[in-house]
Amino acid sequence: MKLSSRSLTATAAALALTAPLWVTGANAATVTISCGSVGQDYENCKKMTADWARKTGHEVKLFTIPNSTTDILALFRQLFAAKSPDLDVVNVDVVWPGVIKDHLLDLKPYSKGVEKEHFPAIVANNTVDGKLLAMPWFTDAGLLFYRKDLVEKYGAKPPTTWEELAATAKKIQDGERAAGNKDFHGFVFQAKAYEGLTCDAVEWVHSHGGGNIVNDKGEITINNPKAVQALKTAASWIGTIAPQGVLNYAEEEARGVFQNGNAAFMRNWPYAWSLGNAKDSKISGKIGVSALPKGGASGQNAATLGGWQLAVSKYSRNPAIAADLVMFMTSAESQKYRAINGSYNPTIAALYKDKDVLAANPFFGSLYEVFTSAVPRPATATGAKYPEVSSAFWNATHDVLSGQATAEDSLKKLEGKLKQVQRGKW
Ligand code: GLC
């Protein structure tokens, strides 16, 4: 094929020299991907996409997105509304398939059945009206991170109930402050008014036996005494074992405090393990991980199910090439790399037996059940209305935590609000 230099962009010209024979010059496409910006998302994405670009001869651009899933969804909705071709491969939160389904391509023609290797519940979550709208990329579950050294120093054990957590957190906080660290806190978590608070609060409510906001049948169940108890318990932490500032913390703010050596306990997602044990972390080698506590002796352990998928936008100009990138990024090989270099939980069961993965993340093995039995937020039951349900819930919870409403009043009001959102059916 002869190409006139005028028809080539500088990038394509460069690729024509280096690319494999099957894709040269004008055949080389540029695809844009959003991978996330929390933890080691960016570095990992840069490395994996560069590997794919080398292999295929195409070019990849990384699309910068905000940290918060709530802000990312708002941004994507704008792009989709404009049918924008600016983004080819989209990262999709586990609670979004029902919300953005009309804007994603069916990946079945490209996946060649490889989705069968992934956790079936996640594949089912990503399949809407028979279409495979996204490939599982990594899964998430809320965990309790703690300072092994401090728990031992104060003669305590990793807590198994929220009451024990509060007592141990108080003991360590008092001791460390008396020893001179005035900035030390017992417990940090996510209590800013956004999707992350929904995740934390689902754990509090579920662990107390208070259900899951809306049940699988679509009934609004949140206004119940156990949920009231759960929110009261969480509110009692603010200003006692948790700083007032936690009301404005997302994942990264909590990790910052913990990783700087200023908290005994932290609720976060698995990614915090890799960064917490990195060379520049003040607490490297001192971190323990366990399931989140139970709500009282009769309560249960509950971890909210999180996680991200990769999908192709319907408005992509290069859908087949974008789908190829998705298949590469979600492959066992890529998932293994990300598990080792960032503690991102694979969605392929076999990788939980891989010795390199387990050496980097021993808790992937010991807490395997936490990952496979995590509690989904009610996104399937509420479909496209999930974002409204979640924002009503996190606002109601934030009002209780910040002392603006009692748990009883707030959940009663929330029930009314959810009925309005439901308007007869989800
Ligand atoms: C994590 C989870 C995601 C969740 C978000 C909340 O990114 O993987 O599912 O919605 O945290 O902040």
Side-chain angles (χ1 to χ4, degrees), residues 39-67:
Q40 297 173 75
D41 279 338
Y42 184 80
E43 289 77 16
N44 275 329
C45 193
K46 213 166 133 189
K47 148 93 172 80
M48 307 299 331
T49 54
D51 286 353
W52 178 81
R54 241 187 329 272
K55 214 170 99 176
T56 61
H58 298 300
E59 192 198 6
V60 184
K61 284 201 178 129
L62 305 192
F63 189 92
T64 311
I65 51 172
N67 272 1

Side-chain angles (χ1 to χ4, degrees), residues 21-267:
L21 282 179
W22 62 274
V23 44
T24 54
N27 285 338
T30 299
V31 287
T32 303
I33 180 172
S34 61
C35 288
S37 49
V38 171
Q40 297 173 75
D41 279 338
Y42 184 80
E43 289 77 16
N44 275 329
C45 193
K46 213 166 133 189
K47 148 93 172 80
M48 307 299 331
T49 54
D51 286 353
W52 178 81
R54 241 187 329 272
K55 214 170 99 176
T56 61
H58 298 300
E59 192 198 6
V60 184
K61 284 201 178 129
L62 305 192
F63 189 92
T64 311
I65 51 172
N67 272 1
S68 149
T69 178
T70 302
D71 298 340
I72 304 171
L73 180 60
L75 172 66
F76 287 173
R77 283 179 136 175
Q78 279 175 19
L79 290 172
F80 291 146
K83 298 191 166 40
S84 166
D86 292 349
L87 190 53
D88 300 283
V89 176
V90 193
N91 58 333
V92 175
D93 196 338
V94 69
V95 285
W96 297 351
V99 181
I100 58 171
K101 60 180 173 20
D102 295 338
H103 309 285
L104 304 178
L105 201 73
D106 184 4
L107 294 174
K108 277 246 173 77
Y110 306 99
S111 70
K112 305 196 183 86
V114 79
E115 66 273 17
K116 292 197 187 74
E117 289 174 16
H118 296 256
F119 290 131
I122 303 182
V123 175
N125 179 75
N126 298 355
T127 306
V128 182
D129 302 332
K131 294 185 186 139
L132 179 63
L133 296 182
M135 279 299 293
W137 189 27
F138 67 95
T139 188
D140 252 346
L143 299 172
L144 182 68
F145 292 84
Y146 60 92
R147 287 284 299 280
K148 267 191 314 198
D149 56 329
L150 294 179
V151 166
E152 202 177 301
K153 176 173 165 191
Y154 290 88
K157 287 205 198 85
T160 58
T161 63
W162 292 112
E163 291 72 12
E164 279 172 25
L165 179 139
T168 307
K170 180 82 174 58
K171 196 172 172 185
I172 300 178
Q173 178 179 287
D174 288 349
E176 292 300 294
R177 286 188 184 177
N181 185 356
K182 298 281 173 246
D183 293 331
F184 195 89
H185 301 288
F187 185 32
V188 289
F189 48 94
Q190 296 73 44
K192 178 177 154 176
Y194 79 121
E195 185 64 28
L197 175 54
T198 289
C199 296
D200 287 36
V202 161
E203 285 158 357
W204 306 330
V205 170
H206 204 84
S207 67
H208 280 84
N212 197 5
I213 315 174
V214 172
N215 68 16
D216 290 348
K217 288 189 229 143
E219 295 154 353
I220 299 162
T221 58
I222 189 61
N223 186 16
N224 69 73
K226 289 181 173 162
V228 166
Q229 182 55 41
L231 294 197
K232 281 192 169 164
T233 302
S236 74
W237 304 329
I238 312 289
T240 56
I241 54 168
Q244 200 71 31
V246 85
L247 292 170
N248 218 13
Y249 281 11
E251 286 80 2
E252 287 292 79
E253 286 79 14
R255 184 174 68 80
V257 173
F258 186 69
Q259 203 171 301
N260 262 320
N262 288 331
F265 295 100
M266 168 176 73
R267 184 274 177 209

